[in-house]
Structure formats: structure tokens, C-alpha cells
Amino acid sequence: MEFHFYEPSAGHGLRHNPLNSIIAPRPIGWISTRNKEGGFNLAPYSFFNTFHYDPPILGFASTGWKDTAQNAVETGEFVWNLVSEDLGEQMNMTSEPVARGVDEFKLAGLTAIAANKVSAPRVAESRASMECKVVDVIQFRNTRGEQLPGWLVLGEVVGVHIDHDLLKDGVYQTALARPLMRCGGLSDYALLSQEWMVEIHRAPDEALRDSHGS
């Protein structure tokens, strides 16, 4: 095999930065928040994932100090909402740059519904949501120790909502939800469906049995 090698600090030398295409597909962090004045905000983040089992902790990375990060820090709360195939266009609408204070729920024709444990709303049309309380905010640094204009917001999950139709014998059916995932480029997404699922069996980790289930 022949490889294209580059050092990011010197540029990739390609027509499009390949980073987002290589690390793909990625789950979408569709994050809803509430600002100090009580207004709602909703925005998708492709730099998102879960990082800890017990307690469950998930996080999203904001390039630039955007409304979502500011709201989460000021109120200490946010909600993650699942983006399924049928919500793709509306999710895309909430990614548009708008003035602070604009309600993306109304912009995309979505319904803001009260959460159980936090004041931030959740997306009523989303088939799964996780209510979170902020536990840490980390500003990124480079190898020289210089601060970068990017922040990782981590939240502990304090409440979970799951559509009953996505549960079968007590097991969440990932593919049945048909989640959208972010790929590279400006408009590339992947759709997870049952025909793309594969099983690779591995030995259970006794230390994580409570997290994985029996």
C-alpha cells in the first residue's frame, strides 16, 4: 500500500481536509439548552460522544464559544436528542448560523417539551433523549500549551427518555431508530439500518457487567 502522509501543522495538501471523513461516521450531538433569560436553543454537534458508564457522562465539543456552550455553562444543563432519519432536514435547519436568542425549535418546526430533571427542553419528536448536568468544561490546548478556540463540555446524564417501540425484551434496538451519523464534507451523512449491523462476539467484562447488563 502507498500512503499519503502529512503533518497537520503543515497542511494536508488535499482538496478537502480528510479528518472528518476518516473519523466517521460519528454520532450527532443534537444539543438543546436554555439561556439565562429562558429562551431555547438547539444545535447539532458532530464532535460528540459518550465517555463514561457509571455515572454516564457524555460530551460535545464546540469550535468557538457558541450559544450552546454558553447556555450550558451559564445554566449548568443541557439535553442530548437523538437524530433519526426522519429528523435529518430539521436537524440541518438548526445548524444554520442565526443571531443569539433565535429559537431553533421554532425555526425548524420542532416541539420543545419539558425535561424531567433539568430546565433545558428536549425535542418532543426525538425518539431518545438524555438530560445532562454539566460536570466539566475544558478548553483545548496545542502541544505548546497555547489555548485554542475550542471547548469540550461534559455532562452527567441524570435522566433518559426512550421510545418504548425501540425496546425489545429490555434491549434498545439501535438500528430500529435509524440514527443519522455525520461523515466528512459539508453534506455527507450515514444512516444506520438493520442490514448494516454485524455481530462480533467478545468475552464479557465482569467489571462492567452492571453497565452492559446480563
Side-chain angles (χ1 to χ4, degrees), residues 20-55:
N20 292 5
S21 299
I22 296 172
I23 309 299
R26 300 182 304 283
I28 299 172
W30 206 15
I31 308 298
S32 52
T33 56
R34 180 177 182 271
N35 62 33
K36 292 189 302 182
E37 293 75 34
F40 297 154
N41 181 270
L42 179 63
Y45 287 81
S46 68
F47 285 0
F48 161 86
N49 221 309
T50 182
F51 298 99
H52 198 261
Y53 261 122
D54 186 20

Side-chain angles (χ1 to χ4, degrees), residues 51-119:
F51 298 99
H52 198 261
Y53 261 122
D54 186 20
I57 293 176
L58 54 79
F60 65 94
S62 176
T63 301
W65 191 248
K66 298 178 180 177
D67 290 349
T68 301
Q70 182 170 334
N71 293 347
V73 170
E74 289 181 347
T75 64
E77 300 173 340
F78 65 89
V79 177
W80 168 82
N81 305 275
L82 176 71
V83 179
S84 49
E85 179 184 16
D86 58 312
L87 294 175
E89 290 299 329
Q90 289 161 296
M91 176 276 299
N92 191 45
M93 293 177 66
T94 65
S95 70
E96 297 179 7
V98 295
R100 179 167 174 78
V102 173
D103 187 337
E104 286 86 357
F105 281 90
K106 294 180 180 178
L107 185 69
L110 295 164
T111 308
I113 188 172
N116 288 21
K117 306 292 290 185
V118 301
S119 63

